[in-house]
Amino acid sequence: MGRKDASTSRTPVDQYRKQIGKQDYKKTRPMLRATRLKAEAKKAALGVKEVALVLAAILVFLLAFYAFFYLNVSNEVDLDLDPDEN
């Protein structure tokens, strides 16, 4: 009697899990493999946010690099010009 009472007092979550397990059992092996591969690909794929952040970081680095050399070259050119050379 203890077993019968324990089995009838299942929680709704356990019943739902059992129902899902029965449905998954009906699926074929290639179908399950395709579902698993699709889920793994979705998890491993880079999102748009990550790509945008990487591109923005590269752009900021290049702009800083360009500004550094632009300011150094422009200062050196200004010092080399003498108004008395003409």
Side-chain angles (χ1 to χ4, degrees), residues 36-48 50-51:
R36 181 174 43 86
L37 290 174
K38 185 178 177 183
E40 288 176 0
K42 187 176 181 181
K43 187 185 291 185
L46 288 176
V48 176
E50 288 85 7
V51 172

Side-chain angles (χ1 to χ4, degrees), residues 2-15:
R3 285 186 172 178
K4 186 176 182 183
D5 291 338
S7 65
T8 58
S9 63
R10 285 189 185 155
T11 62
V13 175
D14 290 336
Q15 291 174 353

Side-chain angles (χ1 to χ4, degrees), residues 14-31:
D14 290 336
Q15 291 174 353
Y16 177 74
R17 287 178 181 162
K18 187 174 181 179
Q19 182 183 8
I20 295 297
K22 287 180 182 177
Q23 290 174 359
D24 281 343
Y25 184 72
K26 293 177 185 176
K27 292 180 182 176
T28 62
R29 208 172 266 232
M31 206 173 178

